[in-house]
Amino acid sequence: MALPFINGMTGHVTSSIWEGVRLSLVAGGHPHLLLSLPRASDAVSSAVFGGGFLQLDHIVNRYVDHSYDCSDPVSDMQAFAAACGYPPASTAGLLTAVKLQQVSLWEERGGEASVLCCTTAGAGNAARAGAARTTYAAAYKPGTINTVLLIDGKLTHACLVNAVLTAAEAKAAALGDLGVRDAETDALATGTTTDAIVVCASQSEAYGTEHRYAGTATDLGGMIGRLVYESVAESLAAYRKALP
């Protein structure tokens, strides 16, 4: 059964499905959420800093306001991580304009893997993939729906990519069920123009299974879908409640 965590959290919470994983809300002059792992783990990421296939033990979701200078976010995040003392080679940095207190954290324990999902979600620039709309040659803004999946289990790299696909489907399903619309086309939105995701796997052999697939017909994909759906919906509900 999925376990909802904290909306409006302060301080930190520890995971019950992956020993040593902790989510911290860091306040002060540089507010951010920090997911810290007990050791560097295989990951696939679309983060502005720390993207691609790599090993991560720190995942930062940093709050910036809408006036943030996006001209060089990679260098800015690198400097931010260094100032916080996070190792640059194993840190992924996400940027969000969503209030950090609107974070939603869910986790679920399974027989062959366990999953934690952490999401900050807003809908200010909701968009529908595949619809004719305004696009740009290159565009970057702070992330509106940022999702982090931590999977305690052994996964192939192909399975990590499959997990990204299932997470995207679940996000789109949540937005559709909530009636979130593309402001430009009025079609039901499938995401926003600035979504990002990080998926990490512990590669633990404790479950005795190597996962090659994470589609919706698999136990692993089922967990991913449920947790992403619930965390996107919960964070969006908090975002909507806070709107003027």
Side-chain angles (χ1 to χ4, degrees), residues 49 56 91 136-137 170 229 242:
F49 176 74
L56 297 175
T91 297
Y136 305 90
Y229 183 100

Side-chain angles (χ1 to χ4, degrees), residues 137-216:
Y140 180 77
K141 287 186 177 182
T144 308
I145 299 179
N146 287 343
T147 303
V148 179
L149 282 169
L150 302 185
I151 303 170
D152 185 27
K154 188 171 180 61
L155 280 65
T156 65
H157 280 182
C159 188
L160 280 171
V161 176
N162 203 174
V164 173
L165 177 62
T166 298
E169 292 174 355
K171 174 189 66 179
L175 294 178
D177 287 350
L178 291 169
V180 177
R181 293 189 172 272
D182 184 323
E184 187 170 321
T185 68
D186 199 41
L188 284 172
T190 55
T192 82
T193 58
T194 56
D195 296 345
I197 189 167
V198 179
V199 182
C200 288
S202 68
Q203 302 301 27
S204 169
E205 297 184 0
Y207 295 90
T209 300
E210 181 181 54
H211 296 273
R212 298 179 178 272
Y213 313 105
T216 50

Side-chain angles (χ1 to χ4, degrees), residues 3 5 12 18 23 49 84 104 152 165 182 189 199 202 234 242:
L3 302 174
F5 272 79
H12 68 267
W18 183 340
L23 173 66
F49 176 74
C84 293
S104 178
D152 185 27
L165 177 62
D182 184 323
V199 182
S202 68
E234 183 176 57

Side-chain angles (χ1 to χ4, degrees), residues 55-117:
Q55 289 205 321
L56 297 175
D57 51 20
H58 289 71
I59 303 163
V60 174
N61 196 5
R62 173 188 170 194
Y63 173 76
V64 295
D65 63 31
H66 291 284
S67 64
Y68 174 74
D69 179 5
C70 299
S71 57
D72 191 1
V74 177
S75 296
D76 186 47
M77 276 301 306
Q78 185 173 17
F80 178 87
C84 293
Y86 305 146
S90 58
T91 297
L94 305 164
L95 293 168
T96 182
V98 175
K99 299 293 186 182
L100 299 178
Q101 290 77 9
Q102 293 160 14
V103 64
S104 178
L105 180 66
W106 287 64
E107 61 181 10
E108 182 175 345
R109 184 179 299 279
E112 297 183 337
S114 298
V115 181
L116 177 152
C117 180

